[in-house]
Every structure is written in C-alpha cells, then in structure tokens.
Amino acid sequence: MTMYIVKKRFEIAGAHSLKLPYESKCNNLHGHNWIITVICQSETLNAEGMVTDFALIKSKVSDILDHKNINDILPFNPTAENMAKWIHDQIPNAHIVTVQESEGNEAIYER
C-alpha cells in the first residue's frame, strides 16, 4: 500500500485551567506555548495534489485557539490529551496529533 504523508508543526499560545479532583496548580488559570504536530495521511491526493493543505491544518487550530482562554472555546476539560483528539477531529486525513504542553510533556492521539 502506497501512502502519502504530510506533517505540520506549529505553535499556539493560550491559557487554560483544568478541573481535577485533586489539589493541583493546574486547577488555576495558567498559560502554555503548545507545540502542535499534525500528521495526515492518504492513499490518494486531492484535486490540488495534496493530502491536506498545510494552511488548512494550521487555520483549523490557530484561528480558533491561538491567544485564547481554551476553557472559553472547548466544551471539555482542556487536557493535552483532549486537545489532541479535538485537533485530530478538525483536520481532514489526520492520523496522528501531538500536543506538547511543555518540555517533556506531550500527549499523542492516533487513529
């Protein structure tokens, strides 16, 4: 099976607070510069010769989340894991999404 793969990596800045059932600093509003990586794959290319347009990948995430309070935008507890799945669901042909919250802390959603 032949597979075309594209990878887009970009950064968004924002704030969020988590709702956790235990004492954590993350329950308070705080910010991150999340590094997002989206890997898309397809056996065929679209009419423009692409798997998914790089600009579309970034716009589906940055235009909505960048420099925002993520709690005001997303209808769930905005953990890195939940954000990775949400990003995946916004992007055509998405296969793997990683959300790096800080150095050494990264969530991966793969379908």
Side-chain angles (χ1 to χ4, degrees):
M1 172 188 340
T2 302
M3 191 64 64
Y4 295 95
I5 298 172
V6 296
K7 178 179 176 181
K8 175 71 175 165
R9 184 174 185 267
F10 56 97
E11 186 173 348
I12 62 168
H16 72 160
S17 60
L18 300 181
K19 293 165 185 57
L20 303 172
Y22 52 87
E23 193 65 34
S24 171
K25 292 189 287 186
C26 295
N27 287 327
N28 299 316
L29 185 64
H30 62 284
H32 293 285
N33 289 328
W34 286 281
I35 298 172
I36 311 295
T37 304
V38 177
I39 298 172
C40 297
Q41 68 178 28
S42 178
E43 292 181 32
T44 60
L45 300 177
N46 65 19
E48 293 77 34
M50 301 179 201
V51 173
T52 304
D53 190 324
F54 291 119
L56 176 71
I57 295 170
K58 187 173 181 186
S59 72
K60 290 280 192 177
V61 180
S62 288
D63 290 354
I64 296 169
L65 300 181
D66 194 32
H67 284 82
K68 306 274 176 52
N69 179 340
I70 306 303
N71 296 82
D72 292 342
I73 308 296
L74 301 178
F76 47 77
N77 199 24
T79 63
E81 295 88 341
N82 282 333
M83 289 175 63
K85 178 171 185 330
W86 179 86
I87 292 166
H88 174 277
D89 292 346
Q90 306 312 301
I91 310 231
N93 298 313
H95 175 59
I96 299 171
V97 173
T98 63
V99 175
Q100 182 178 333
E101 197 168 77
S102 59
E103 187 64 37
N105 296 323
E106 189 171 351
I108 301 169
Y109 182 84
E110 179 177 3
R111 189 184 81 144

